[in-house]
Amino acid sequence: MDQASLDIPPNDLEAYWMPMTPNRRFKSGPDFFVEAKGMHYKTPEGRSVLDAIAGLWCVNAGHCHPKIIEAIRHQAGKLDYASSFSLGHPLAFHYTNRVMEIAPKGFDHIFLAGSGSEAVDTALKMALAYHRARGEGHRQRLVGRQRSYHGMGFGGLSVSGIGWQRAQFGVMLPGVSHLPHTHDLTRNAFSKGEPEHGAEFADALEGLLTAIDPSTVAAVIVEPVAGAGGVLPPPKGYLKRLREITSKHGVLLIFDEVVTGFGRLGAPFAAQALGVTPDLITCAKGMSNGAVPMGGVLVHQHVHDAMSQGPEAVVEFAHGYTYSGHPLACAAAIATLDVYREEGIFEKVARIAGKWEAAIHDIKSAGGMVRDIRNLGLLGAVEIEAAPNAPGQRARAVANHCFENGIFVRALGDTLILSPPLIINEEQIGQIADGIKSGIRTL
């Protein structure tokens, strides 16, 4: 097929079973993107659409950045694939060295995977293997949190806390418990940044560990800022308290930074922005700017060292993926790091976050349908009052209104999710806020 014809949606859409999509509804009235550049998508009809969610939380440096695209093109013509199983190619080592330069203090290794879901399953397995290496193989329980999202692998979905995503798949992994979420509208509605109230939600972990015996627990995993669960910033002191409790009981703390990693909060990682150091950090989306699938787990020195004992010929961690350290992904990721540094993108987030906060909180002026607004860094959420007997329909109507008027936002349940590319400017921030206000006023 020639390239021009590939940009035209086919008449028959049935073969592709789309992920996380009501397929029958979509295929009865489909929407497509065929091009992207910077902050904008383009539809087959030539309409420009401002991207307010960075593709899917991932296109931090903007779409089709020339430096990233050229790095992929060059690498594809030189080394398209090489396994990382007992072999190597230089790019994987160059890239991981570069990540360690911006990682939180104490992290000295990164295990590469192909996605955020793979990264989370890797981190969970690593936690189990770490305790076994230390002679505590009885630590097999895992703790997640309500309203959390940790990907679609069996491990990640088991520790996730969004019920409808789990409902079709039965009991999942055994030995998994969940902490309460931190969403507290009674005390924290319309908070700007980290909510003032709720650090005590972390104390539920102490009670949970006591109930199930802390010596049987391997790890607690949380998103520093819950993403798909509704953009829930952590209450002040909450993460610090989780760190204190896990350290007290010898339990590993995993930060799932698939969304927050690589600049979303104005620092390389949320662990740095929020001043709390976990034992493992998962990452993905912003690693390669979404251009080539990639994921990884940053590993604290004490975890790596505990698992690197015994004969040199023994595999330290019996785990990996065909696409771990894929050459094209590494090329894209190195170029992405270059762009972040050369264009000062992390620092720009820190400077513009206040403008973002003010603009999205002004959406409250659109009227009483706005139930809550939340933000941290360049993340945001606008929660809409649910219509009687029709949950999610109002938020979807606002998202549809925005799309029709050239703005791409995402409705998850009754909440509009916002996570624009980190290159956004003040005018575009205003456009997003005005578009949402306009949509709310049509309800």
Side-chain angles (χ1 to χ4, degrees):
M1 297 179 69
D2 65 276
Q3 187 60 50
S5 65
L6 290 175
D7 285 342
I8 302 172
N11 293 326
D12 186 356
L13 305 179
E14 285 304 310
Y16 181 28
W17 196 343
M18 299 168 67
M20 284 291 185
T21 301
N23 277 252
R24 288 165 292 179
R25 184 177 71 188
F26 172 86
K27 292 169 185 178
S28 68
D31 292 307
F32 292 95
F33 292 135
V34 295
E35 294 182 37
K37 185 70 174 177
M39 286 291 301
H40 293 83
Y41 280 111
K42 186 174 286 187
T43 70
E45 303 78 31
R47 278 200 317 125
S48 180
V49 180
L50 179 62
D51 183 4
I53 62 170
L56 198 61
W57 319 86
C58 52
V59 188
N60 289 1
H63 292 277
C64 291
H65 193 288
K67 184 160 191 168
I68 299 170
I69 298 308
E70 179 54 37
I72 297 168
R73 183 181 291 114
H74 172 78
Q75 188 59 40
K78 186 176 183 181
L79 178 65
D80 58 344
Y81 175 78
S83 168
S84 288
F85 288 23
S86 297
L87 293 165
H89 65 86
L91 282 182
F93 295 89
H94 285 303
Y95 175 64
T96 51
N97 286 341
R98 290 281 302 278
V99 174
M100 290 305 99
E101 293 174 3
I102 63 171
K105 184 178 180 180
F107 287 82
D108 61 359
H109 286 77
I110 179 170
F111 191 100
L112 296 179
S115 68
S117 292
E118 289 182 2
V120 168
D121 277 18
T122 298
L124 297 176
K125 291 174 72 175
M126 197 174 285
L128 297 171
Y130 162 79
H131 289 296
R132 183 173 291 274
R134 297 173 61 252
E136 295 190 15
H138 53 277
R139 288 186 178 268
Q140 298 180 9
R141 294 182 181 272
L142 301 168
V143 177
R145 186 171 59 182
Q146 297 169 0
R147 295 188 66 165
S148 65
Y149 177 79
H150 299 293
M152 288 288 108
F154 261 92
L157 193 55
S158 295
V159 294
S160 293
I162 301 176
W164 69 267
Q165 293 177 350
R166 298 160 49 98
Q168 291 181 303
F169 310 116
V171 297
M172 307 302 294
L173 294 183
V176 175
S177 302
H178 289 82
L179 296 170
H181 62 73
T182 62
H183 191 205
D184 184 354
L185 283 180
T186 302
R187 297 185 296 170
N188 293 326
F190 299 99
S191 291
K192 295 180 177 179
E194 296 174 79
E196 291 291 336
H197 308 286
E200 70 278 3
F201 282 118
D203 291 332
L205 178 58
E206 188 74 68
L208 177 61
L209 293 177
T210 300
I212 62 178
D213 181 0
S215 72
T216 66
V217 179
V220 173
I221 181 169
V222 295
E223 300 160 280
V225 181
V231 181
L232 307 177
K236 292 179 179 178
Y238 173 84
L239 295 175
K240 180 176 183 290
R241 182 68 181 132
L242 284 185
R243 175 72 281 183
E244 291 169 351
I245 295 170
T246 52
S247 296
K248 171 184 172 183
H249 293 287
V251 175
L252 293 187
L253 179 60
I254 305 171
F255 276 3
D256 183 347
E257 294 217 37
V258 168
V259 167
T260 54
F262 296 92
R264 181 60 57 183
L265 301 188
F269 297 93
Q272 295 153 318
L274 300 174
V276 179
T277 303
D279 303 291
L280 300 169
I281 296 173
T282 65
C283 52
K285 298 178 183 292
M287 294 177 78
S288 58
N289 204 48
V292 181
M294 194 178 203
V297 182
L298 277 66
V299 186
H300 199 280
Q301 181 178 3
H302 77 94
V303 176
H304 177 267
D305 289 353
M307 295 174 63
S308 300
Q309 307 298 318
E312 288 187 2
V314 173
V315 174
E316 296 92 350
F317 185 39
H319 175 74
Y321 300 99
T322 299
Y323 300 118
S324 291
H326 192 286
L328 268 64
C330 289
I334 290 172
T336 299
L337 285 180
D338 287 342
V339 170
Y340 290 155
R341 182 190 62 204
E342 293 165 5
E343 299 183 11
I345 288 179
F346 298 169
E347 295 80 5
K348 178 182 177 181
V349 173
R351 291 195 304 270
I352 206 169
K355 302 290 187 182
W356 172 258
E357 176 178 274
I360 67 167
H361 276 274
D362 188 59
I363 293 171
K364 184 179 180 181
S365 66
M369 289 293 182
V370 181
R371 188 166 184 247
D372 189 27
I373 295 172
R374 303 179 287 276
N375 72 283
L376 194 63
L378 280 186
L379 285 169
V382 179
E383 190 169 337
I384 308 295
E385 287 286 354
N389 304 314
Q393 293 307 303
R394 284 176 174 162
R396 178 173 169 77
V398 175
N400 289 343
H401 175 90
C402 288
F403 189 81
E404 291 166 2
N405 288 275
I407 304 167
F408 181 38
V409 303
R410 188 179 181 208
L412 285 175
D414 295 301
T415 301
L416 301 172
I417 301 297
L418 304 170
S419 60
L422 306 185
I423 61 170
I424 193 170
N425 62 36
E426 289 186 39
E427 180 182 351
Q428 292 159 344
I429 289 173
Q431 185 181 346
I432 292 168
D434 289 344
I436 294 172
K437 283 187 280 191
S438 174
I440 291 171
R441 288 172 180 142
T442 67
L443 295 175

